[in-house]
Amino acid sequence: MNQKIMNVVGARPNFMKIAPLMAELKKHSEFDSTLLHTGQHYDEVMSKLFFKDLGLPEPDIYLRIGSANHGAQTGKIMIEFETVVEKEKPDMIVVVGDVNSTIACGLVAVKQGIKLAHVEAGLRSFDRTMPEEINRLLTDQISDLLFITEKSGEENLLKEGIEKDKIHFVGNVMIDSLLSHLEKARDSKILSDLNLKSGEYVTLTLHRPSNVDSKEQFLQILNALSEIQKEIPIVFPIHPRSKNRLNQFGFEDKLKEMPGLLITEPLGYLDFLKLLAESKFVLTDSGGIQEETTVLGVPCLTLRDNTERPVTVTQGTNLVIGNRAGSIIEKSNKILNGESKKGRSPDLWDGKAAKRIVQVLLEQNF
Ligand code: UD1
């Protein structure tokens, strides 16, 4: 009998991780795979556009959860997801990454006695004030199969008491997506649409609560941007959380004084990939972008005090520089003066991670 695998996505960074896995599962008649979208992200630009760009099938099940405080959001997902699981009775549930949908659906899976696989397991920032760190720790504790992207993941999981035979080093599914879409992304017209020249602008993304939820901290970053945009244009596809905060904190006048800072709506996957690939350098607080810039060979300055993806620093183009204005300006100027970090693609970030995951799944006794 075919094995029923339910793949779960909820928020923007999940879509590019599940797409290659869904495509690979479809090639094997041993599996019936379905896609469930919790609706944690729901806007056209945060969700729908990604399905189109990534060639993801329409979700088989869509839960329409939407935004709420963490407890309410996680609880709502659990209530709705449990009903689905009781009806569909999958043999395995696959969750990816570290968003609230990941832990919510993971918890339901194990409480229903269904096998749980976690893709992108083992990453640790060791900063428990990050909601994602809690989601990662807990999801890994309850998973039956843990697919890791870098060797640090194995060390972390073993220290936390996870049995070695549950851990599989398979590479990075997000990089599978990047490599398979890069050529198509090259055709994107985003640079001419935004009046930018290849290699002559900076891409900025910012959405972590630790950077945008405090007025003082957001202002630190704006003060740094105010200096950098005098030297080179900065493009900022803005996350809804950050947009809300800019308005709430009354930063409109500050923005008007920065003609070199170009704020756009969030972009689709292909346009964003093109924007990243052609950037002089990238300023970000995202997790995934640290990995994407490493593979693209584009210098990345991470505006955080830590990273859960250390291989992007030890082998890649990433520097973790904190979020104070002085440091952001100093490190940006270094790159503008020709001193940028070189790197290489980490082991197994070769576009074949989904294939390796499916190979492991084929060997399982459900
Ligand atoms: C979530 C993830 C984070 C991930 C990020 C990528 C958790 C805990 N956090 O954070 O790990 O890096 O997604 O984007 O799961 N909103 C919209 N439209 C949407 C979605 C959200 O307008 O489609 C607005 C709402 O005002 C919402 C706010 O953005 O309150 C934050 O959304 P939420 O999903 O709570 O968290 P993110 O900050 O997006």
Side-chain angles (χ1 to χ4, degrees):
M1 222 176 58
N2 283 1
Q3 303 299 339
K4 279 176 88 172
I5 299 195
M6 183 174 278
N7 301 280
V8 173
V9 290
R12 184 169 62 175
N14 294 160
F15 306 134
M16 54 290 248
K17 294 171 192 166
I18 217 74
L21 190 55
M22 292 284 299
E24 199 57 37
L25 284 167
K26 287 253 147 33
K27 293 184 193 162
H28 294 267
S29 56
E30 293 89 337
F31 301 118
D32 280 339
S33 70
T34 51
L35 182 62
L36 179 138
H37 186 350
T38 64
Q40 177 176 342
H41 284 173
Y42 42 88
D43 279 351
E44 176 84 23
V45 285
M46 296 296 284
S47 176
K48 234 183 164 155
L49 208 48
F50 281 79
F51 274 72
K52 191 172 138 260
D53 280 359
L54 290 160
L56 265 171
E58 284 286 308
D60 299 282
I61 302 166
Y62 186 60
L63 299 183
R64 292 179 204 285
I65 297 300
S67 302
N69 288 340
H70 284 245
Q73 186 176 60
T74 309
K76 272 193 206 166
I77 298 171
M78 287 185 69
I79 293 168
E80 298 292 325
F81 188 60
E82 188 166 59
T83 312
V84 170
V85 168
E86 278 172 345
K87 183 162 166 266
E88 301 289 326
K89 300 195 182 348
D91 298 298
M92 174 170 279
I93 290 172
V94 178
V95 294
V96 296
D98 54 17
V99 301
N100 287 343
S101 299
T102 309
I103 179 62
C105 296
L107 263 176
V108 169
V110 292
K111 286 184 182 256
Q112 292 278 327
I114 294 165
K115 284 215 168 168
L116 178 64
H118 185 204
V119 175
E120 201 187 81
L123 297 178
R124 296 291 179 268
S125 65
F126 304 100
D127 174 2
R128 291 198 181 194
T129 64
M130 281 179 83
E132 294 81 2
E133 181 76 353
I134 305 299
N135 295 342
R136 290 189 281 261
L137 274 160
L138 299 182
T139 306
D140 287 342
Q141 277 298 320
I142 57 177
S143 292
D144 300 286
L145 287 173
L146 299 100
F147 295 107
I148 61 170
T149 52
E150 56 171 281
K151 276 288 181 188
S152 73
E154 178 165 282
E155 281 164 42
N156 296 333
L157 293 170
L158 291 175
K159 274 190 205 143
E160 289 165 17
I162 307 288
E163 295 98 315
K164 199 172 179 5
D165 60 0
K166 289 184 179 174
I167 305 169
H168 301 271
F169 178 34
V170 291
N172 193 325
V173 280
M174 200 186 59
I175 301 305
D176 290 9
S177 270
L178 183 152
L179 295 175
S180 64
H181 287 85
L182 195 52
E183 213 177 293
K184 209 164 164 205
R186 298 266 182 221
D187 296 336
S188 151
K189 300 278 179 296
I190 191 70
L191 295 199
S192 50
D193 289 352
L194 298 177
N195 222 352
L196 296 167
K197 290 203 187 74
S198 174
E200 296 182 17
Y201 63 90
V202 175
T203 300
L204 164 73
T205 81
L206 212 57
H207 74 286
R208 296 244 161 251
S210 55
N211 277 333
V212 302
D213 281 1
S214 126
K215 186 172 179 181
E216 193 277 332
Q217 179 48 49
F218 206 158
L219 194 56
Q220 278 284 328
I221 295 177
L222 288 184
N223 285 339
L225 299 178
S226 164
E227 292 305 310
I228 300 164
Q229 58 90 40
K230 291 177 190 160
E231 310 296 325
I232 185 167
I234 303 172
V235 196
F236 181 16
I238 196 164
H239 185 282
R241 170 191 285 279
S242 312
K243 191 177 183 179
N244 292 343
R245 295 294 182 235
L246 277 181
N247 296 334
Q248 185 189 330
F249 296 149
F251 285 147
E252 292 87 350
D253 287 346
K254 181 107 193 133
L255 296 178
K256 279 193 202 123
E257 292 161 13
M258 292 191 232
L261 177 67
L262 177 60
I263 298 185
T264 73
E265 284 298 298
L267 300 176
Y269 184 67
L270 295 171
D271 284 343
F272 189 69
L273 200 51
K274 168 86 172 179
L275 198 66
L276 275 188
E278 310 275 333
S279 299
K280 173 86 178 165
F281 66 97
V282 172
L283 294 166
T284 191
D285 61 7
S286 150
I289 292 172
Q290 299 170 51
E291 299 183 337
E292 290 169 332
T293 45
T294 271
V295 170
L296 293 167
V298 172
C300 178
L301 299 178
T302 297
L303 309 189
R304 292 170 43 186
D305 293 328
N306 50 57
T307 179
E308 60 288 332
R309 294 160 157 91
V311 78
T312 61
V313 177
T314 54
Q315 296 180 23
T317 57
N318 188 22
L319 281 175
V320 178
I321 63 164
N323 54 13
R324 308 311 284 171
S327 168
I328 302 170
I329 296 168
E330 185 205 324
K331 300 294 188 306
S332 297
N333 280 337
K334 271 198 173 162
I335 300 179
L336 292 173
N337 292 330
E339 255 185 78
S340 58
K341 187 164 185 270
K342 305 278 179 294
R344 68 168 183 91
S345 254
D347 291 346
L348 303 192
W349 291 19
D350 57 359
K352 295 180 187 146
K355 264 193 181 26
R356 295 189 190 97
I357 291 174
V358 170
Q359 215 42 54
V360 174
L361 295 180
L362 284 166
E363 289 157 14
Q364 300 300 306
N365 291 318
F366 282 86

PDB file of all heavy atoms in Angstrom, residues 11-13 40-43 46 67-68 70 73 98-100 131-132 135 207-208 239-241 244, ligand 1:
ATOM      1  N   ALA A  11       4.454  29.514   6.455  1.00  0.00           N
ATOM      2  CA  ALA A  11       4.929  30.883   6.264  1.00  0.00           C
ATOM      3  C   ALA A  11       5.954  30.937   5.131  1.00  0.00           C
ATOM      4  O   ALA A  11       6.484  29.907   4.704  1.00  0.00           O
ATOM      5  CB  ALA A  11       5.550  31.388   7.564  1.00  0.00           C
ATOM      6  N   ARG A  12       6.216  32.159   4.697  1.00  0.00           N
ATOM      7  CA  ARG A  12       7.034  32.371   3.490  1.00  0.00           C
ATOM      8  C   ARG A  12       8.284  31.505   3.409  1.00  0.00           C
ATOM      9  O   ARG A  12       8.513  30.878   2.361  1.00  0.00           O
ATOM     10  CB  ARG A  12       7.374  33.870   3.393  1.00  0.00           C
ATOM     11  CG  ARG A  12       8.125  34.237   2.156  1.00  0.00           C
ATOM     12  CD  ARG A  12       8.210  35.734   1.976  1.00  0.00           C
ATOM     13  NE  ARG A  12       8.926  36.395   3.055  1.00  0.00           N
ATOM     14  CZ  ARG A  12       9.208  37.700   3.077  1.00  0.00           C
ATOM     15  NH1 ARG A  12       8.824  38.474   2.084  1.00  0.00           N
ATOM     16  NH2 ARG A  12       9.864  38.241   4.080  1.00  0.00           N
ATOM     17  N   PRO A  13       9.117  31.431   4.459  1.00  0.00           N
ATOM     18  CA  PRO A  13      10.350  30.644   4.272  1.00  0.00           C
ATOM     19  C   PRO A  13      10.122  29.136   4.151  1.00  0.00           C
ATOM     20  O   PRO A  13      11.072  28.395   3.889  1.00  0.00           O
ATOM     21  CB  PRO A  13      11.172  30.974   5.535  1.00  0.00           C
ATOM     22  CG  PRO A  13      10.202  31.488   6.521  1.00  0.00           C
ATOM     23  CD  PRO A  13       9.059  32.099   5.761  1.00  0.00           C
ATOM     24  N   GLN A  40      -0.631  30.602   7.890  1.00  0.00           N
ATOM     25  CA  GLN A  40       0.052  31.548   8.802  1.00  0.00           C
ATOM     26  C   GLN A  40       0.412  32.824   8.029  1.00  0.00           C
ATOM     27  O   GLN A  40       0.217  33.923   8.521  1.00  0.00           O
ATOM     28  CB  GLN A  40       1.303  30.893   9.408  1.00  0.00           C
ATOM     29  CG  GLN A  40       2.092  31.840  10.293  1.00  0.00           C
ATOM     30  CD  GLN A  40       3.291  31.190  10.983  1.00  0.00           C
ATOM     31  OE1 GLN A  40       3.378  29.971  11.094  1.00  0.00           O
ATOM     32  NE2 GLN A  40       4.216  32.007  11.466  1.00  0.00           N
ATOM     33  N   HIS A  41       0.953  32.649   6.829  1.00  0.00           N
ATOM     34  CA  HIS A  41       1.076  33.767   5.891  1.00  0.00           C
ATOM     35  C   HIS A  41       0.017  33.588   4.824  1.00  0.00           C
ATOM     36  O   HIS A  41      -0.210  32.478   4.346  1.00  0.00           O
ATOM     37  CB  HIS A  41       2.473  33.820   5.266  1.00  0.00           C
ATOM     38  CG  HIS A  41       3.517  34.373   6.212  1.00  0.00           C
ATOM     39  ND1 HIS A  41       4.848  34.384   5.922  1.00  0.00           N
ATOM     40  CD2 HIS A  41       3.398  34.929   7.440  1.00  0.00           C
ATOM     41  CE1 HIS A  41       5.527  34.934   6.932  1.00  0.00           C
ATOM     42  NE2 HIS A  41       4.658  35.264   7.871  1.00  0.00           N
ATOM     43  N   TYR A  42      -0.602  34.705   4.414  1.00  0.00           N
ATOM     44  CA  TYR A  42      -1.810  34.595   3.596  1.00  0.00           C
ATOM     45  C   TYR A  42      -1.867  35.639   2.494  1.00  0.00           C
ATOM     46  O   TYR A  42      -2.617  35.499   1.546  1.00  0.00           O
ATOM     47  CB  TYR A  42      -3.051  34.758   4.501  1.00  0.00           C
ATOM     48  CG  TYR A  42      -2.849  35.879   5.499  1.00  0.00           C
ATOM     49  CD1 TYR A  42      -3.177  37.191   5.200  1.00  0.00           C
ATOM     50  CD2 TYR A  42      -2.215  35.610   6.716  1.00  0.00           C
ATOM     51  CE1 TYR A  42      -2.916  38.215   6.107  1.00  0.00           C
ATOM     52  CE2 TYR A  42      -1.945  36.638   7.627  1.00  0.00           C
ATOM     53  CZ  TYR A  42      -2.308  37.930   7.315  1.00  0.00           C
ATOM     54  OH  TYR A  42      -2.026  38.937   8.197  1.00  0.00           O
ATOM     55  N   ASP A  43      -1.064  36.729   2.608  1.00  0.00           N
ATOM     56  CA  ASP A  43      -1.123  37.773   1.579  1.00  0.00           C
ATOM     57  C   ASP A  43      -0.663  37.220   0.240  1.00  0.00           C
ATOM     58  O   ASP A  43       0.149  36.308   0.189  1.00  0.00           O
ATOM     59  CB  ASP A  43      -0.159  38.923   1.936  1.00  0.00           C
ATOM     60  CG  ASP A  43      -0.753  39.866   2.957  1.00  0.00           C
ATOM     61  OD1 ASP A  43      -1.945  39.740   3.251  1.00  0.00           O
ATOM     62  OD2 ASP A  43      -0.006  40.730   3.459  1.00  0.00           O
ATOM     63  N   MET A  46       3.062  37.439   0.257  1.00  0.00           N
ATOM     64  CA  MET A  46       3.762  36.627   1.260  1.00  0.00           C
ATOM     65  C   MET A  46       3.563  35.140   0.993  1.00  0.00           C
ATOM     66  O   MET A  46       4.248  34.298   1.558  1.00  0.00           O
ATOM     67  CB  MET A  46       3.252  36.945   2.668  1.00  0.00           C
ATOM     68  CG  MET A  46       3.512  38.356   3.136  1.00  0.00           C
ATOM     69  SD  MET A  46       5.257  38.724   3.292  1.00  0.00           S
ATOM     70  CE  MET A  46       5.653  37.859   4.814  1.00  0.00           C
ATOM     71  N   SER A  67      -2.914  35.778  11.084  1.00  0.00           N
ATOM     72  CA  SER A  67      -2.014  36.306  12.119  1.00  0.00           C
ATOM     73  C   SER A  67      -2.708  36.376  13.473  1.00  0.00           C
ATOM     74  O   SER A  67      -3.904  36.590  13.549  1.00  0.00           O
ATOM     75  CB  SER A  67      -1.553  37.714  11.737  1.00  0.00           C
ATOM     76  OG  SER A  67      -0.916  37.711  10.492  1.00  0.00           O
ATOM     77  N   ALA A  68      -1.905  36.209  14.525  1.00  0.00           N
ATOM     78  CA  ALA A  68      -2.403  36.357  15.897  1.00  0.00           C
ATOM     79  C   ALA A  68      -1.192  36.313  16.807  1.00  0.00           C
ATOM     80  O   ALA A  68      -0.067  36.060  16.345  1.00  0.00           O
ATOM     81  CB  ALA A  68      -3.360  35.212  16.251  1.00  0.00           C
ATOM     82  N   HIS A  70       1.406  34.654  19.424  1.00  0.00           N
ATOM     83  CA  HIS A  70       1.981  33.318  19.220  1.00  0.00           C
ATOM     84  C   HIS A  70       1.133  32.192  19.805  1.00  0.00           C
ATOM     85  O   HIS A  70       0.922  31.165  19.169  1.00  0.00           O
ATOM     86  CB  HIS A  70       3.399  33.259  19.807  1.00  0.00           C
ATOM     87  CG  HIS A  70       4.383  33.961  18.936  1.00  0.00           C
ATOM     88  ND1 HIS A  70       5.408  33.332  18.299  1.00  0.00           N
ATOM     89  CD2 HIS A  70       4.458  35.255  18.572  1.00  0.00           C
ATOM     90  CE1 HIS A  70       6.085  34.218  17.583  1.00  0.00           C
ATOM     91  NE2 HIS A  70       5.526  35.387  17.744  1.00  0.00           N
ATOM     92  N   GLN A  73      -2.051  31.802  17.757  1.00  0.00           N
ATOM     93  CA  GLN A  73      -1.775  31.277  16.418  1.00  0.00           C
ATOM     94  C   GLN A  73      -1.416  29.782  16.478  1.00  0.00           C
ATOM     95  O   GLN A  73      -1.951  28.966  15.732  1.00  0.00           O
ATOM     96  CB  GLN A  73      -0.632  32.075  15.787  1.00  0.00           C
ATOM     97  CG  GLN A  73      -0.361  31.717  14.343  1.00  0.00           C
ATOM     98  CD  GLN A  73       0.718  32.606  13.749  1.00  0.00           C
ATOM     99  OE1 GLN A  73       1.845  32.621  14.245  1.00  0.00           O
ATOM    100  NE2 GLN A  73       0.389  33.337  12.711  1.00  0.00           N
ATOM    101  N   ASP A  98      11.278  26.489  11.059  1.00  0.00           N
ATOM    102  CA  ASP A  98      11.165  26.809  12.483  1.00  0.00           C
ATOM    103  C   ASP A  98      10.042  27.791  12.806  1.00  0.00           C
ATOM    104  O   ASP A  98      10.112  28.505  13.793  1.00  0.00           O
ATOM    105  CB  ASP A  98      12.498  27.381  12.971  1.00  0.00           C
ATOM    106  CG  ASP A  98      12.960  28.556  12.117  1.00  0.00           C
ATOM    107  OD1 ASP A  98      12.131  29.124  11.388  1.00  0.00           O
ATOM    108  OD2 ASP A  98      14.146  28.915  12.188  1.00  0.00           O
ATOM    109  N   VAL A  99       9.023  27.845  11.957  1.00  0.00           N
ATOM    110  CA  VAL A  99       7.955  28.823  12.215  1.00  0.00           C
ATOM    111  C   VAL A  99       6.902  28.202  13.147  1.00  0.00           C
ATOM    112  O   VAL A  99       6.976  27.018  13.488  1.00  0.00           O
ATOM    113  CB  VAL A  99       7.324  29.323  10.890  1.00  0.00           C
ATOM    114  CG1 VAL A  99       8.385  29.973  10.008  1.00  0.00           C
ATOM    115  CG2 VAL A  99       6.609  28.214  10.144  1.00  0.00           C
ATOM    116  N   ASN A 100       5.936  29.007  13.562  1.00  0.00           N
ATOM    117  CA  ASN A 100       4.933  28.484  14.493  1.00  0.00           C
ATOM    118  C   ASN A 100       4.179  27.290  13.909  1.00  0.00           C
ATOM    119  O   ASN A 100       3.806  26.369  14.639  1.00  0.00           O
ATOM    120  CB  ASN A 100       3.954  29.596  14.890  1.00  0.00           C
ATOM    121  CG  ASN A 100       4.595  30.591  15.841  1.00  0.00           C
ATOM    122  OD1 ASN A 100       5.641  30.315  16.448  1.00  0.00           O
ATOM    123  ND2 ASN A 100       3.985  31.761  15.983  1.00  0.00           N
ATOM    124  N   PRO A 131      11.669  33.365  19.043  1.00  0.00           N
ATOM    125  CA  PRO A 131      10.590  32.373  18.974  1.00  0.00           C
ATOM    126  C   PRO A 131      10.974  31.150  18.141  1.00  0.00           C
ATOM    127  O   PRO A 131      10.612  30.018  18.453  1.00  0.00           O
ATOM    128  CB  PRO A 131       9.420  33.119  18.319  1.00  0.00           C
ATOM    129  CG  PRO A 131       9.918  34.461  17.925  1.00  0.00           C
ATOM    130  CD  PRO A 131      11.236  34.698  18.578  1.00  0.00           C
ATOM    131  N   GLU A 132      11.783  31.386  17.104  1.00  0.00           N
ATOM    132  CA  GLU A 132      12.166  30.271  16.220  1.00  0.00           C
ATOM    133  C   GLU A 132      13.042  29.264  16.948  1.00  0.00           C
ATOM    134  O   GLU A 132      13.004  28.075  16.631  1.00  0.00           O
ATOM    135  CB  GLU A 132      12.915  30.787  14.988  1.00  0.00           C
ATOM    136  CG  GLU A 132      12.097  31.636  14.039  1.00  0.00           C
ATOM    137  CD  GLU A 132      11.964  33.087  14.487  1.00  0.00           C
ATOM    138  OE1 GLU A 132      12.554  33.460  15.531  1.00  0.00           O
ATOM    139  OE2 GLU A 132      11.260  33.848  13.793  1.00  0.00           O
ATOM    140  N   ASN A 135      10.842  26.956  18.752  1.00  0.00           N
ATOM    141  CA  ASN A 135      10.193  26.065  17.775  1.00  0.00           C
ATOM    142  C   ASN A 135      11.148  24.970  17.299  1.00  0.00           C
ATOM    143  O   ASN A 135      10.766  23.805  17.153  1.00  0.00           O
ATOM    144  CB  ASN A 135       9.678  26.870  16.575  1.00  0.00           C
ATOM    145  CG  ASN A 135       8.567  27.845  16.950  1.00  0.00           C
ATOM    146  OD1 ASN A 135       7.952  27.698  18.006  1.00  0.00           O
ATOM    147  ND2 ASN A 135       8.305  28.821  16.104  1.00  0.00           N
ATOM    148  N   HIS A 207      13.070  41.927   9.536  1.00  0.00           N
ATOM    149  CA  HIS A 207      11.720  41.634  10.055  1.00  0.00           C
ATOM    150  C   HIS A 207      11.726  41.036  11.455  1.00  0.00           C
ATOM    151  O   HIS A 207      10.672  40.812  12.026  1.00  0.00           O
ATOM    152  CB  HIS A 207      10.987  40.684   9.119  1.00  0.00           C
ATOM    153  CG  HIS A 207      11.491  39.263   9.203  1.00  0.00           C
ATOM    154  ND1 HIS A 207      12.684  38.873   8.664  1.00  0.00           N
ATOM    155  CD2 HIS A 207      10.972  38.167   9.799  1.00  0.00           C
ATOM    156  CE1 HIS A 207      12.866  37.595   8.912  1.00  0.00           C
ATOM    157  NE2 HIS A 207      11.856  37.133   9.600  1.00  0.00           N
ATOM    158  N   ARG A 208      12.925  40.757  12.031  1.00  0.00           N
ATOM    159  CA  ARG A 208      12.945  40.122  13.359  1.00  0.00           C
ATOM    160  C   ARG A 208      12.382  41.068  14.399  1.00  0.00           C
ATOM    161  O   ARG A 208      12.763  42.256  14.432  1.00  0.00           O
ATOM    162  CB  ARG A 208      14.363  39.794  13.799  1.00  0.00           C
ATOM    163  CG  ARG A 208      15.042  38.815  12.965  1.00  0.00           C
ATOM    164  CD  ARG A 208      15.412  37.522  13.649  1.00  0.00           C
ATOM    165  NE  ARG A 208      15.624  36.596  12.578  1.00  0.00           N
ATOM    166  CZ  ARG A 208      14.834  35.588  12.260  1.00  0.00           C
ATOM    167  NH1 ARG A 208      13.784  35.312  13.000  1.00  0.00           N
ATOM    168  NH2 ARG A 208      15.078  34.823  11.229  1.00  0.00           N
ATOM    169  N   HIS A 239       8.854  43.699   4.817  1.00  0.00           N
ATOM    170  CA  HIS A 239       7.964  42.718   5.445  1.00  0.00           C
ATOM    171  C   HIS A 239       6.816  43.465   6.132  1.00  0.00           C
ATOM    172  O   HIS A 239       7.025  44.557   6.678  1.00  0.00           O
ATOM    173  CB  HIS A 239       8.799  41.948   6.478  1.00  0.00           C
ATOM    174  CG  HIS A 239       8.084  40.811   7.132  1.00  0.00           C
ATOM    175  ND1 HIS A 239       7.166  40.995   8.140  1.00  0.00           N
ATOM    176  CD2 HIS A 239       8.138  39.474   6.936  1.00  0.00           C
ATOM    177  CE1 HIS A 239       6.694  39.817   8.524  1.00  0.00           C
ATOM    178  NE2 HIS A 239       7.277  38.878   7.816  1.00  0.00           N
ATOM    179  N   PRO A 240       5.593  42.899   6.119  1.00  0.00           N
ATOM    180  CA  PRO A 240       4.456  43.616   6.719  1.00  0.00           C
ATOM    181  C   PRO A 240       4.690  44.025   8.177  1.00  0.00           C
ATOM    182  O   PRO A 240       4.257  45.103   8.603  1.00  0.00           O
ATOM    183  CB  PRO A 240       3.291  42.628   6.619  1.00  0.00           C
ATOM    184  CG  PRO A 240       3.751  41.450   5.862  1.00  0.00           C
ATOM    185  CD  PRO A 240       5.188  41.648   5.478  1.00  0.00           C
ATOM    186  N   ARG A 241       5.387  43.183   8.936  1.00  0.00           N
ATOM    187  CA  ARG A 241       5.658  43.537  10.337  1.00  0.00           C
ATOM    188  C   ARG A 241       6.467  44.844  10.422  1.00  0.00           C
ATOM    189  O   ARG A 241       6.145  45.738  11.209  1.00  0.00           O
ATOM    190  CB  ARG A 241       6.457  42.407  11.006  1.00  0.00           C
ATOM    191  CG  ARG A 241       7.003  42.763  12.385  1.00  0.00           C
ATOM    192  CD  ARG A 241       7.993  41.712  12.856  1.00  0.00           C
ATOM    193  NE  ARG A 241       7.331  40.487  13.277  1.00  0.00           N
ATOM    194  CZ  ARG A 241       6.762  40.297  14.466  1.00  0.00           C
ATOM    195  NH1 ARG A 241       6.760  41.255  15.363  1.00  0.00           N
ATOM    196  NH2 ARG A 241       6.203  39.145  14.766  1.00  0.00           N
ATOM    197  N   ASN A 244       4.426  47.932   9.354  1.00  0.00           N
ATOM    198  CA  ASN A 244       3.543  48.363  10.448  1.00  0.00           C
ATOM    199  C   ASN A 244       4.317  49.175  11.472  1.00  0.00           C
ATOM    200  O   ASN A 244       3.849  50.194  11.964  1.00  0.00           O
ATOM    201  CB  ASN A 244       2.919  47.160  11.164  1.00  0.00           C
ATOM    202  CG  ASN A 244       1.943  46.420  10.276  1.00  0.00           C
ATOM    203  OD1 ASN A 244       1.493  46.961   9.269  1.00  0.00           O
ATOM    204  ND2 ASN A 244       1.618  45.165  10.621  1.00  0.00           N
TER     205      ASN A 244
HETATM  206  C1  UD1 B   1       7.258  34.476  10.609  1.00  0.00           C
HETATM  207  C2  UD1 B   1       8.136  33.470  11.329  1.00  0.00           C
HETATM  208  C3  UD1 B   1       9.601  33.816  11.114  1.00  0.00           C
HETATM  209  C4  UD1 B   1       9.920  33.957   9.651  1.00  0.00           C
HETATM  210  C5  UD1 B   1       8.972  34.973   9.043  1.00  0.00           C
HETATM  211  C6  UD1 B   1       9.222  35.155   7.575  1.00  0.00           C
HETATM  212  C7  UD1 B   1       7.232  32.530  13.423  1.00  0.00           C
HETATM  213  C8  UD1 B   1       7.357  32.575  14.889  1.00  0.00           C
HETATM  214  N1  UD1 B   1       7.910  33.500  12.762  1.00  0.00           N
HETATM  215  O1  UD1 B   1       7.453  35.748  11.233  1.00  0.00           O
HETATM  216  O2  UD1 B   1      10.407  32.786  11.650  1.00  0.00           O
HETATM  217  O3  UD1 B   1      11.247  34.379   9.496  1.00  0.00           O
HETATM  218  O4  UD1 B   1       7.628  34.514   9.247  1.00  0.00           O
HETATM  219  O5  UD1 B   1       8.348  36.102   7.044  1.00  0.00           O
HETATM  220  O6  UD1 B   1       6.566  31.677  12.887  1.00  0.00           O
HETATM  221  N2  UD1 B   1       1.347  39.738   8.103  1.00  0.00           N
HETATM  222  C9  UD1 B   1       0.687  40.187   6.991  1.00  0.00           C
HETATM  223  N3  UD1 B   1       0.453  39.295   5.976  1.00  0.00           N
HETATM  224  C10 UD1 B   1       0.845  38.002   6.028  1.00  0.00           C
HETATM  225  C11 UD1 B   1       1.513  37.557   7.168  1.00  0.00           C
HETATM  226  C12 UD1 B   1       1.760  38.437   8.190  1.00  0.00           C
HETATM  227  O7  UD1 B   1       0.309  41.343   6.894  1.00  0.00           O
HETATM  228  O8  UD1 B   1       0.607  37.256   5.059  1.00  0.00           O
HETATM  229  C13 UD1 B   1       1.657  40.714   9.183  1.00  0.00           C
HETATM  230  C14 UD1 B   1       0.671  40.689  10.296  1.00  0.00           C
HETATM  231  O9  UD1 B   1       0.516  41.986  10.750  1.00  0.00           O
HETATM  232  C15 UD1 B   1       1.369  39.857  11.364  1.00  0.00           C
HETATM  233  C16 UD1 B   1       2.827  40.211  11.121  1.00  0.00           C
HETATM  234  O10 UD1 B   1       2.925  40.397   9.721  1.00  0.00           O
HETATM  235  O11 UD1 B   1       0.909  40.176  12.628  1.00  0.00           O
HETATM  236  C17 UD1 B   1       3.765  39.127  11.568  1.00  0.00           C
HETATM  237  O12 UD1 B   1       3.413  37.874  10.968  1.00  0.00           O
HETATM  238  P1  UD1 B   1       3.719  36.487  11.711  1.00  0.00           P
HETATM  239  O13 UD1 B   1       3.376  35.355  10.833  1.00  0.00           O
HETATM  240  O14 UD1 B   1       3.146  36.543  13.069  1.00  0.00           O
HETATM  241  O15 UD1 B   1       5.263  36.514  11.949  1.00  0.00           O
HETATM  242  P2  UD1 B   1       6.460  36.938  10.987  1.00  0.00           P
HETATM  243  O16 UD1 B   1       7.094  38.149  11.592  1.00  0.00           O
HETATM  244  O17 UD1 B   1       6.032  37.003   9.562  1.00  0.00           O
END
